[in-house]
Amino acid sequence: MRILGIESSCDETAAAVVEDGSRVLSSVIASQFSTHGMYGGVVPELASREHMRAIVPVVTEALDRAATKLEDLDAIAVTHGPGLVGSLLVGMTYAKALCFARNIPLIGVNHIEGHIHSVILEAGESIEFPALALVVSGGHTHIYHASHDYTYKLLGKTRDDAAGEAFDKVAKLLGFGWPGGPVVDLLAPYGNPAAVKFTFAKMSGNPLDFSFSGTKTAVLRWAEAQNMQAEIDARRALKDPKLEDWLAHTPQATLDLLASFQNHVIEELMRRVRILAEESDARALIISGGVACNLGLRRAAQTGGLPYPVFFPTRGLSTDNAAMIAAAAFPKLWRKEFSSFELRAYANLALA
Ligand code: KG4
Ligand code: ZN
């Protein structure tokens, strides 16, 4: 069974052909990094326009690389939320048009479920259910209980910024550009993670919820107190900086701040996971989404003494891609859970 996946929820136009929910025949991603980088974040209207430019060549290339024709497809899966509505509509309109013209079933997929399936796609039956699924990206920090039939119960979520958003905002205010996660991850090993102490968020009500906005504000206050403007401006002026350029323009105190910030975010995530390790019936932990690329998080989860195995996607499948959307649609294809052409785009779309 072959599914074409289409993903356009944020700033990546992606298409992939996946066979039987586990074999990636092709995965093509057109990133809009160069469009948004100068603005320090995704500009929704520019994102929609870039998707319109990229959607036809990206889908065509995914089909060509997979040596697959439209008539070979059993379904087309498309992300219908959560995300930027103008961006979602580009992928959805194209998917609907292909399905209508060729009489192919359409399957709408929740982007968060896609991130969970980026791990299931690779690890397959080695993941025992029920599992915990921590989805940490630029838009989401959610933890779910996932059953073997891919139904989900939301256990906790961020009340303000997502973890990736905190990385992005901290990097931006310190002059490290956008997106922030990769550069903080790159520089954190050069700093002392215990140098700056952050206060752990106290959550009234659900202790499994997250909050990262206070951490970001603490970094801002720290930067103001240290009078860092000159070094921040010098970093902002760097053109296509590499590791050695960042290191040459970043004093040890700032490297210590980055390492401490990253360490704190990881510890906030791991605290929730440790509470659940004692309380839930889970037999595995899935960690996915862009922040799952973070080497410090991978190390902390894998060496954290958790009572079950931890599964991450390979780096290419951690950030937004369409293979995860096609993989998430595979069980729905089995169950004939098709979408009508009334399928709508949602900025907010809950998974559970
Ligand atoms: O999953 P994704 O591509 O898009 C969303 O659905 O949001 O995640 C992008 C986010 C960005 O906030 C980016 O800074 C973060 O993932 N990210 C990282 C790393 N690589 C990407 N955060 C921490 N460490 C990384 N290595
Ligand atoms: Zn994502």
Side-chain angles (χ1 to χ4, degrees):
M1 298 256 227
R2 285 188 186 187
I3 300 180
L4 168 69
I6 297 179
E7 155 65 39
S8 68
S9 66
C10 190
D11 58 336
E12 257 101 28
T13 319
V17 178
V18 177
E19 194 168 63
D20 296 335
S22 60
R23 227 159 63 82
V24 182
L25 302 185
S26 65
S27 178
V28 179
I29 303 173
S31 169
Q32 301 179 2
F33 172 77
S34 55
T35 305
H36 304 289
M38 64 195 286
Y39 301 105
V42 178
V43 183
E45 176 59 23
L46 295 183
S48 311
R49 290 185 210 171
E50 288 301 313
H51 286 304
M52 283 168 63
R53 253 191 282 274
I55 190 77
V56 176
V58 164
V59 171
T60 306
E61 193 178 334
L63 290 169
D64 286 352
R65 280 203 210 165
T68 299
K69 298 194 170 54
L70 284 173
E71 50 267 33
D72 302 329
L73 294 173
D74 295 283
I76 297 179
V78 66
T79 307
H80 71 121
L84 302 170
V85 169
S87 292
L88 287 163
L89 282 173
V90 177
M92 289 175 64
T93 309
Y94 194 60
K96 284 182 186 178
L98 287 178
C99 288
F100 181 72
R102 300 301 181 107
N103 201 20
I104 302 167
L106 174 73
I107 302 177
V109 172
N110 183 308
H111 182 79
I112 304 174
E113 185 171 22
H115 274 301
I116 297 173
H117 275 269
S118 69
V119 182
I120 299 169
L121 162 64
E122 294 179 307
E125 290 179 359
S126 46
I127 302 181
E128 286 192 55
F129 287 88
L132 296 171
L134 174 65
V135 182
V136 265
S137 69
H140 328 283
T141 301
H142 289 44
I143 189 157
Y144 297 93
H145 180 274
S147 299
H148 67 281
D149 60 351
Y150 306 129
T151 52
Y152 308 92
K153 183 168 178 268
L154 182 65
L155 302 175
K157 66 177 171 47
T158 182
R159 294 192 190 167
D160 40 57
D161 293 348
E165 194 179 353
F167 273 98
D168 292 341
K169 286 178 174 170
V170 161
K172 187 177 172 186
L173 77 91
L174 294 176
F176 288 100
W178 174 87
V183 60
V184 176
D185 194 10
L186 183 71
L187 296 176
Y190 296 89
N192 173 6
V196 183
K197 301 272 179 264
F198 291 94
T199 312
F200 285 100
K202 284 196 192 61
M203 308 311 302
S204 58
N206 184 359
L208 296 170
D209 277 352
F210 303 87
S211 169
F212 293 104
S213 71
T215 313
K216 171 199 64 192
T217 309
V219 172
L220 178 63
R221 297 281 168 267
W222 197 94
E224 284 168 355
Q226 304 294 314
N227 205 5
M228 292 168 70
Q229 203 51 50
E231 58 159 302
I232 291 172
D233 290 344
R235 280 193 293 271
R236 284 197 179 130
L238 293 172
K239 294 264 174 295
D240 294 327
K242 306 275 178 301
L243 172 63
E244 50 279 17
D245 307 311
W246 288 129
L247 288 174
H249 290 84
T250 308
Q252 190 58 45
T254 307
L255 292 170
D256 290 347
L257 174 67
L258 290 181
S260 303
F261 161 75
Q262 174 168 300
N263 187 52
H264 177 78
V265 173
I266 293 170
E267 187 48 30
E268 287 278 17
L269 298 174
M270 291 303 296
R271 278 185 174 211
R272 303 330 188 255
V273 168
R274 280 196 290 269
I275 298 175
L276 283 168
E278 287 169 20
E279 288 178 359
S280 93
D281 58 352
R283 303 166 78 163
L285 170 64
I286 291 168
I287 303 184
S288 61
V291 181
C293 290
N294 190 271
L295 295 176
L297 175 61
R298 286 179 180 239
R299 202 171 321 112
Q302 268 144 0
T303 61
L306 295 171
Y308 36 60
V310 186
F311 295 88
F312 283 93
T314 47
R315 285 175 77 88
L317 285 179
S318 296
T319 46
D320 289 349
N321 64 86
M324 68 185 196
I325 302 303
F330 184 62
K332 299 183 199 298
L333 175 58
W334 267 111
R335 296 196 293 251
K336 295 200 176 352
E337 278 177 26
F338 301 131
S339 305
S340 77
F341 290 127
E342 305 293 309
L343 185 73
R344 288 177 55 191
Y346 294 97
N348 298 306
L349 181 62
L351 181 56

